[in-house]
Amino acid sequence: MGWMSLLSVRAWPWCLALGALSLACSGRERPPALDDDSGFGSEDIPYDRLPATSDDFEEKDCPSSITGYASQCGTLTVPEAPGSERKLRIGVRRVFSNADDVAADPVVYLNGGPGGATLSTVDFLIDTFEPLLDHRDLIFVDQRGTGSSRPLLSCTETTSDIDAALDSCFARLSESNDLSATNSAANARDHEALRLALGYESWNLLGISYGTRLGLTILRDFPDGIRSLIIDSVVPLQADLFAELGSNGQDAFERVFAACAADTDCAMSFPDSMQQLRDTTARLNETPHSDPKISGDDLVNELFSLAYAPEGVALMPWLIDAAAGDDFAAFEKLVGSSGGGSEAFGMHLSVQCAEEMPFTDAATIAAADETVYEELRSPLSGSHYVDYCAHWPVTAAPALENEAVHSSSRVLVLSGEFDPITPPSYAQMVSLDLENSQYFELPGESHGASTGDCGLSIVQAFLEDPSASLDGACALEPLPPDFKTQGLASGGTKANVAFVRERPSDADLERIARSVSRRRY
């Protein structure tokens, strides 16, 4: 999910993905609404075992089938804001288990971003989370303003002036939308309305990245409908995301390089990747590589992107070494192979400019960036959001949206060792406020750790019995005893990363790029 179409300005690593920033975080093509008469029928939907739905949910034909599983598409009608006469349509797809004894409480996937389209990636999501269909149905939702939901809050402006493009997009969308009504609390209300409309007494929520902030908000505002909550790559409500982006990214690089130093072969091949990165970044920013033009910031952005996935982590020291020797053939292949989905940048800014920017400022961000190496500061910093949000004047969220969520509900908290955007420290922070949580940091993993074999096995065990103490033998050894948490495995050791030490084949580079793209939730 990259941003490459509108503006070739400095890259920014938050909106679902990484890549050169463009307002076309709104995506490549406008995702279709679930209104078309064409599509696949509903003859295999197991109506006999499903709760009755309310009139707020209207079944629609699905635009495609899912091999091996019946599914149901539809739209949920909700008010734009409490008491508003203006209505929104939320796109929904249920995928049904083939089991004879399907649990009554399905799993609802909460997508990242904010702004990511969900239904257009259902094939990948089913491929990833198919084991969960052994006992439960899966539900996917295009959050308000995204994907097939309508209205779609995307920015399609084509001017090269970022300020003018933002002003134009805000003005255009504001003509028929209250952009201050799109936020996490409203998103949480939509999900609770969906639970009631579909007739479920309770369900399980599985959120990744921004989906964790949404999951925590639902847990805070509508706890009675939640059997369990799984949050992976956690976004704490109380964290200063924009101020900490730079240091979080640099810390992830340091963790990767420390793992390389602990590996004899990697350490011999790449003895000081951080210094090599700093030197190469400075040189390329002074004199960019030509044909194509690649600056030092471009290099840092691509490395940040690679850190989203274990396969990308394994490539990082080699890629830095190649760049230091002016070999950019693999770099070009990685960038050219990046996949993408549809991201609604208007929705993204409405959430971020209401829930993050009001609780920080330019001075705070600049002070935090002082901890980041000067060569890495510009591409990793969140300071550009100061300018973005100046052109996206939504109403500031109440102080509640910057406060920790406390709960006694059953929550599984996961993090990946190398996550560059939502580091393990964020997951630890949140777990401390959830008294019945179980926390696992997964070795060799990164963003979206629940999509790997270890993470998914822990998720499956947790769903079977959220009150049971989980084994988690594949997770890291316990954190220091001053960190109070439950469920950490004991006696584990950090897994080694299979670092790349020579140029991968083009096929391997394409595979790595696809893996990285899928992790950018």
Side-chain angles (χ1 to χ4, degrees):
M1 303 176 185
W3 306 349
M4 272 286 184
S5 55
L6 177 56
L7 302 172
S8 293
V9 291
R10 51 181 308 293
W12 154 234
W14 177 248
C15 174
L16 307 191
L18 186 63
L21 172 69
S22 79
L23 284 198
C25 194
S26 54
R28 289 139 180 81
E29 297 180 357
R30 179 182 176 90
L34 294 174
D35 287 333
D36 299 333
D37 293 331
S38 61
F40 290 77
S42 58
E43 60 273 10
D44 295 323
I45 296 173
Y47 293 107
D48 57 335
R49 68 167 175 79
L50 296 174
T53 61
S54 76
D55 292 340
D56 290 333
F57 179 77
E58 181 180 1
E59 186 173 332
K60 304 281 187 180
D61 282 346
C62 292
S64 62
S65 62
I66 296 175
T67 303
Y69 298 96
S71 67
Q72 176 193 49
C73 295
T75 58
L76 172 75
T77 300
V78 297
E80 183 179 51
S84 173
E85 295 184 359
R86 186 182 289 163
K87 303 298 182 182
L88 310 181
R89 288 172 295 146
I90 308 299
V92 180
R93 186 161 190 169
R94 292 197 280 187
V95 180
F96 300 107
S97 170
N98 294 322
D100 294 330
D101 54 345
V102 181
D105 45 272
V107 176
V108 185
Y109 176 71
L110 308 176
N111 204 358
T118 305
L119 301 195
S120 62
T121 62
V122 162
D123 285 344
F124 157 65
L125 292 170
I126 292 298
D127 184 58
T128 301
F129 294 115
E130 186 172 18
L132 305 186
L133 282 166
D134 288 349
H135 300 291
R136 286 177 169 80
D137 298 332
L138 298 181
I139 300 178
F140 303 96
V141 181
D142 273 334
Q143 298 162 23
R144 59 166 57 196
T146 74
S148 64
S149 293
R150 292 294 182 267
L152 176 64
L153 302 182
S154 62
C155 291
T156 55
E157 281 63 21
T158 57
T159 175
S160 60
D161 182 332
I162 179 70
D163 293 343
L166 287 171
D167 288 340
S168 174
C169 185
F170 187 87
R172 176 176 56 80
L173 293 178
S174 294
E175 290 179 357
S176 55
N177 303 279
D178 177 3
L179 296 180
S180 293
T182 293
N183 50 52
S184 296
N187 214 347
R189 286 196 305 273
D190 295 345
H191 282 75
E192 175 65 1
L194 178 62
R195 183 183 70 83
L196 297 175
L198 295 180
Y200 292 115
E201 182 176 341
S202 66
W203 57 14
N204 308 276
L205 305 178
L206 193 168
I208 299 178
S209 199
Y210 168 72
T212 67
R213 177 171 184 133
L214 175 56
L216 289 166
T217 304
I218 300 172
L219 181 66
R220 181 194 68 197
D221 295 348
F222 304 102
D224 293 343
I226 299 177
R227 173 181 178 263
S228 73
L229 170 64
I230 301 156
I231 49 176
D232 166 18
S233 306
V234 181
V235 180
L237 275 67
Q238 68 271 35
D240 191 340
L241 294 178
F242 295 165
E244 296 168 2
L245 278 171
S247 58
N248 285 341
Q250 179 170 288
D251 288 348
F253 286 7
E254 296 280 20
R255 291 194 296 274
V256 173
F257 301 151
C260 176
D263 179 286
T264 302
D265 292 336
C266 188
M268 289 180 62
S269 298
F270 315 112
D272 194 348
S273 292
M274 179 58 84
Q275 190 60 55
Q276 192 176 40
L277 172 61
R278 294 176 63 187
D279 293 343
T280 304
T281 299
R283 175 175 62 81
L284 289 172
N285 279 336
E286 181 71 24
T287 306
H289 175 78
S290 59
D291 194 27
K293 183 178 179 180
I294 299 171
S295 68
D297 287 358
D298 293 332
L299 174 63
V300 174
N301 288 329
E302 184 60 29
L303 292 168
F304 186 98
S305 177
L306 288 172
Y308 270 70
E311 297 91 336
V313 166
L315 187 64
M316 288 171 64
W318 178 86
L319 194 67
I320 293 167
D321 190 64
D326 285 322
D327 177 2
F328 291 95
F331 180 95
E332 294 177 50
K333 190 71 177 177
L334 287 167
V335 173
S337 299
S338 295
S342 297
E343 297 86 49
F345 198 44
M347 185 275 193
H348 175 85
L349 288 179
S350 291
V351 174
Q352 301 292 54
C353 294
E355 297 176 0
E356 295 298 337
M357 185 50 64
F359 304 105
T360 191
D361 54 40
T364 301
I365 297 172
D369 282 346
E370 288 295 321
T371 65
V372 181
Y373 292 125
E374 184 177 359
E375 300 89 346
L376 310 184
R377 193 173 300 160
S378 175
L380 295 181
S381 174
S383 59
H384 49 281
Y385 265 91
V386 176
D387 295 329
Y388 295 169
C389 292
H391 296 274
W392 206 265
V394 290
T395 302
L400 180 66
E401 302 304 335
N402 194 46
E403 297 174 1
V405 174
H406 297 267
S407 176
S408 60
S409 297
R410 302 292 180 179
V411 183
L412 174 62
V413 185
L414 299 176
S415 68
E417 180 183 6
F418 299 116
D419 192 332
I421 189 73
T422 52
S425 60
Y426 278 4
Q428 297 162 20
M429 179 193 307
V430 167
S431 189
L432 289 172
D433 297 316
L434 304 171
E435 61 182 82
N436 285 320
S437 67
Q438 299 188 63
Y439 169 71
F440 296 89
E441 179 182 331
L442 276 59
E445 263 294 354
S446 190
H447 201 67
S450 62
T451 65
D453 291 342
C454 175
L456 190 56
S457 69
I458 296 174
V459 168
Q460 288 179 274
F462 178 74
L463 285 170
E464 289 306 300
D465 185 358
S467 65
S469 180
L470 301 177
D471 176 12
C474 57
L476 291 177
E477 60 189 358
L479 294 168
D482 60 338
F483 172 58
K484 294 182 179 179
T485 187
Q486 302 177 41
L488 285 164
S490 60
T493 58
K494 287 199 173 189
N496 291 325
V497 178
F499 284 103
V500 171
R501 293 189 294 122
E502 57 185 30
R503 188 190 191 283
S505 66
D506 285 352
D508 283 339
L509 289 170
E510 291 175 0
R511 176 183 54 80
I512 292 169
R514 286 194 301 270
S515 179
V516 169
S517 180
R518 288 179 169 184
R519 292 292 186 114
R520 300 179 201 164
Y521 296 94

